[in-house]
Amino acid sequence: MAILELIVILIVSVTVSNVISHFVPDVPVSLFQIAIGLILAWVFGVFIAVDAHWFMLLFVAPLLYNDAWRFPKRELWELRGPILGNAILLVLLTTLVGGFLIHLLIPQFPKSVALALAAVVSPTDPVAVQAIAKRVKLPANVMHIVSGESLINDASGLVSFNTAIKATVAGTFLLTDAIGNFFWMTIIGLIVGLVLGNIVSLLRDTFDRVGLTDVVFHTVIMLLSPFLIYWAAEDIFHSSGVIAVVAGGIITKILSDQQIDARNPEISVTAVRTWEIFVYLLNGVIFVLLGIELPQAIDVVIKSSQIHTGRAIFYGIAVWVIIFVIRTLWAYGNQVMLYIKNGEHKPDMKTSLTLGLSGVRGAVTMAAVMTIPTVVADGSEFPQRNLLVFVAAVVVIVSLLVATIMLPFVTKERSARDFTQPEMLDAEVDSTSEAHKADLSEAQARIFAMQIGIQTLRESQRDDNRAIVYELVTRKQGTITQIRRQMPMAQTKEPLSDDSELRRVALDAQRDRLQQLLVNEEISPLTFSSQSRRLERLENLIATDKTYRMSTQWAWELIRRGLRSIRIWFSDETTDKVKKETSLAIRETSKAAIKKLSEHMTRYNGDTVSHRIERQNAYNLIVAYRYRIEHDKHLDTPQQREIDEKLRMELELKALNVQRETIQNLYEQGRITRQAGINIRQFINFAETAALAGKNES
């Protein structure tokens, strides 16, 4: 039971951190997750004993498999030189040179421990870099190099780290044994990954041929693959499970792409989305666990008579400086070599600094450092384990903070696109000329397409589907309003509309009509009171900012309905009578609002922008009131609900098809960029899938 509670706490913590990050986007979400972990440990006393084997299996294996699966093959091949140089040679250089300097800086660390620390902080974390790239425009080649090297340097760095840790545990360190062990783990791990990746792809293709195309079944196979590959490499062949997982992910992706036309596309979409959720949770949980582990390491460091807390923090900052300098000088050296070889592109320190700062440490580093054993072979404590964890954590935090603060100053540009979106990895980046020619932004194109869809719904309106048409039109109009509110001011060709005056006009008309119904004794005081309170709530909502509003309106609405039912039960009125009166009040007040709004529209018959906006707002409100009338008159029986569901699906699909055609026309006319068209079509496809979900026709 305690394990289940802990899992729930970790998942809730990750969710809360992402909510906070949404409102504070300039701070990497990883820092919020570490802070939440610290709160859980210090305030609530949460402690987790991390087992090295299951931690690597549960966290590192799927994260690396997902990175290998998603990275584009074309960029990986075109930048193979810089990527392999950064991923292998730079990691080895960082491990050896950095380890030597760390040993001189921190004499408490034995040489093998210093090498382990240098190795574990050498891998970069593309997830953290991509989070920063949401607001900072990094050069495309820098992003691809960092993402590409992360696939391989995670493997090379962790193999070096494991070699140094095993040497520390054994108590001896022989260079020849270390090199032999390194090559065994690397080569055998590579072979195991390639073989098992081929077997997984062969099994999936075999299942397809025999007709076993169940989406859930194939998704489960995809989720199990990294765990099986890692386990086989580590426990059966005693090689590097990390390298095996990366190799397996790459070969599985290559073979899967060859079968993409023959395989059910739903399988690919479902597998990708499932992996996104899975990796989203794993990345977050790792940093929350780091926050939980830090207090123990901090407590040991504080209580230590050998190391002052301030000195331990200084060690962490100094280690980051060492790693940063090595990486920056390496990047500059690469530019010098290319200039000597090709005579093009003079060395640029700005690019070198960008590459140095973008080497942010993150999830894999912390996942590995928390697997350090507590004891060595002779039963004594692992030398300076808590200090090693503490220093590594400081390096991760400092790298995140410095990158967040310094990259905007180095690049001096804001990001024009989100590098974290998967379509950006597989789609070509829009050229400057294409982006310049396009006169509609993605949000503007979405609004235009939805307006065409609304017009299609209006043209499809008949007596039997009027209520459904009004429902769909009202929903799409609400979506358009949300998109406009989220658009930057520079993209809004028209001023943001304010329909508060129109809503008050409609509410006043409803109140007058409701009063007449009471005076004419067409409704009882109970119904009048209930409807009056409803109008008061609508009036209160007019002045509120509904863009980002933490509301408990739904809870109060349930309470009000419950109290209203109790009042009806204790009153002299019957439930059927109250229902009829409520229905009458809704219809009559809605008609009064429509009449008043129609009269109001006649005052704005000019062709100015403000008059067009006012007429459009009035029409939107009229549609909403018409929907209320039609919905109230509509039969509510099981048979009618089935008919309505069929009509709703047909109309929704018809509108979505028109929206898709509109986006294609806008792209062919050059009015939107290729990437905007891809994003909007993907959104339409998801909406279509949602409309069809669970609709099985016999």
Side-chain angles (χ1 to χ4, degrees), residues 64 123 150-160 182 240 242-243 246:
L64 293 183
S150 69
L151 297 179
I152 307 170
N153 72 7
D154 284 340
S156 56
L158 291 178
V159 169
S160 303
F182 180 90
S240 172
V242 171
I243 290 180
V246 171

Side-chain angles (χ1 to χ4, degrees), residues 387-626:
L387 180 60
L388 196 158
V389 173
F390 182 82
V391 171
V394 172
V395 171
V396 171
I397 295 172
V398 170
S399 68
L400 285 168
L401 287 174
V402 174
T404 302
I405 297 170
M406 294 303 299
L407 274 176
F409 292 100
V410 175
T411 60
K412 297 181 180 179
E413 291 185 82
R414 300 289 295 184
S415 179
R417 56 189 174 91
D418 186 355
F419 285 89
T420 64
Q421 296 302 315
E423 63 268 16
M424 291 304 297
L425 297 177
D426 298 323
E428 296 178 2
V429 179
D430 295 318
S431 65
T432 305
S433 60
E434 180 190 6
H436 179 72
K437 184 173 64 173
D439 64 334
L440 290 179
S441 67
E442 182 178 327
Q444 290 169 336
R446 277 190 64 190
I447 290 174
F448 181 74
M450 294 188 73
Q451 288 172 336
I452 300 298
I454 289 174
Q455 184 61 38
T456 301
L457 291 172
R458 291 171 182 163
E459 294 171 356
S460 303
Q461 180 178 317
R462 303 188 306 270
D463 290 340
D464 62 334
N465 66 6
R466 183 178 289 109
I468 306 300
V469 169
Y470 286 150
E471 174 192 343
L472 295 177
V473 169
T474 302
R475 188 188 306 164
K476 290 183 181 296
Q477 287 172 342
T479 303
I480 289 174
T481 301
Q482 291 179 354
I483 296 173
R484 280 181 171 151
R485 283 176 173 167
Q486 296 172 2
M487 287 171 60
M489 291 298 295
Q491 293 183 9
T492 53
K493 295 183 178 180
E494 297 177 350
L496 291 178
S497 57
D498 182 7
D499 59 357
S500 57
E501 180 185 352
L502 287 172
R503 293 182 180 274
R504 288 192 175 92
V505 168
L507 284 173
D508 290 340
Q510 291 180 80
R511 283 198 176 96
D512 291 341
R513 182 58 182 143
L514 191 64
Q515 186 69 37
Q516 291 176 5
L517 292 175
L518 178 64
V519 171
N520 297 337
E521 297 184 352
E522 296 180 65
I523 60 174
S524 64
L526 179 62
T527 304
F528 175 81
S529 174
S530 176
Q531 292 300 308
S532 295
R533 280 193 295 272
R534 179 181 65 83
L535 296 178
E536 288 175 5
R537 292 194 297 272
L538 291 177
E539 187 174 28
N540 292 334
L541 288 176
I542 292 176
T544 59
D545 180 13
K546 294 176 284 185
T547 305
Y548 296 107
R549 179 167 53 89
M550 301 294 288
S551 175
T552 55
Q553 189 67 29
W554 60 273
W556 286 112
E557 182 64 24
L558 290 177
I559 295 173
R560 291 189 189 99
R561 289 185 180 183
L563 294 175
R564 180 170 174 269
S565 299
I566 294 173
R567 287 201 307 273
I568 294 173
W569 188 61
F570 279 107
S571 68
D572 296 333
E573 311 291 342
T574 63
T575 302
D576 290 339
K577 181 182 177 182
V578 172
K579 285 183 178 179
K580 290 180 181 179
E581 291 180 355
T582 301
S583 178
L584 175 65
I586 289 174
R587 292 198 306 271
E588 292 299 319
T589 55
S590 298
K591 289 177 182 178
I594 292 173
K595 181 179 179 182
K596 196 69 174 179
L597 289 170
S598 300
E599 294 172 356
H600 186 83
M601 286 175 64
T602 59
R603 296 161 46 191
Y604 296 89
N605 54 5
D607 196 34
T608 63
V609 173
S610 60
H611 280 206
R612 289 199 302 269
I613 293 175
E614 193 74 10
R615 289 198 301 269
Q616 184 61 49
N617 289 338
Y619 180 77
N620 292 345
L621 287 175
I622 288 174
V623 170
Y625 284 116
R626 283 177 178 169

Side-chain angles (χ1 to χ4, degrees), residues 348-381:
D348 181 16
M349 182 54 70
K350 176 182 176 181
T351 302
S352 301
L353 287 173
T354 302
L355 276 166
L357 291 171
S358 61
V360 179
R361 277 66 192 171
V364 172
T365 295
M366 294 322 307
V369 80
M370 285 192 287
T371 65
I372 299 174
T374 56
V375 296
V376 296
D378 60 5
S380 60
E381 292 185 357

Side-chain angles (χ1 to χ4, degrees), residues 42 51 77 115 123 197 207 210 301 309 331 345 392 436 508 523 672:
W42 272 329
D51 178 80
W77 178 252
L115 289 172
F207 293 144
V210 300
V301 170
T309 306
H345 304 297
H436 179 72
D508 290 340
I523 60 174
I672 60 174

